[in-house]
Amino acid sequence: MASKEKNDHHLADSFSTQWHDGVMTSRFLTLAEVAETLNITISATRSLVSSGELPAIQLGGKRMWRVEETVLEKFIQQQYAASRERTARGA
């Protein structure tokens, strides 16, 4: 493999996968994976994406959405903060 092709292939791999504690993980999650992580239905996950509350990218087909793992973590942290605010207000 030529040097440029090898570098391009490595660069593409770095965008699609990450290493966490010695385990390779995907950078992007399917809506089913997001739903499982949040313990909600895929329909509820799709609603979060459609409303813009959970940022996602659409690839190819109409129903092919992906959520970046770091975006999901940020969303979860925002939900914790919102829950703390509601609790502090007594709502």
Side-chain angles (χ1 to χ4, degrees):
M1 186 182 295
S3 179
K4 180 175 179 354
E5 289 176 6
K6 189 174 183 179
N7 287 339
D8 287 348
H9 179 71
H10 178 69
L11 183 62
D13 285 347
S14 70
F15 285 122
S16 61
T17 58
Q18 299 175 355
W19 289 88
H20 294 285
D21 297 325
V23 177
M24 188 172 62
T25 61
S26 178
R27 175 180 174 182
F28 292 99
L29 304 169
T30 65
L31 293 190
E33 292 168 326
V34 172
E36 183 177 333
T37 299
L38 297 175
N39 198 27
I40 60 176
T41 65
I42 294 175
S43 178
T45 305
R46 186 167 278 112
S47 292
L48 289 171
V49 169
S50 296
S51 71
E53 192 173 348
L54 177 60
I57 58 172
Q58 189 174 20
L59 304 169
K62 180 177 157 183
R63 298 173 67 86
M64 190 181 294
W65 288 92
R66 296 294 182 268
V67 176
E68 193 168 356
E69 194 173 276
T70 57
V71 171
L72 179 58
E73 287 303 319
K74 184 178 178 181
F75 172 79
I76 291 168
Q77 292 307 313
Q78 290 169 339
Q79 296 308 303
Y80 275 123
S83 294
R84 283 190 299 272
E85 283 182 32
R86 283 191 300 272
T87 302
R89 287 192 316 245

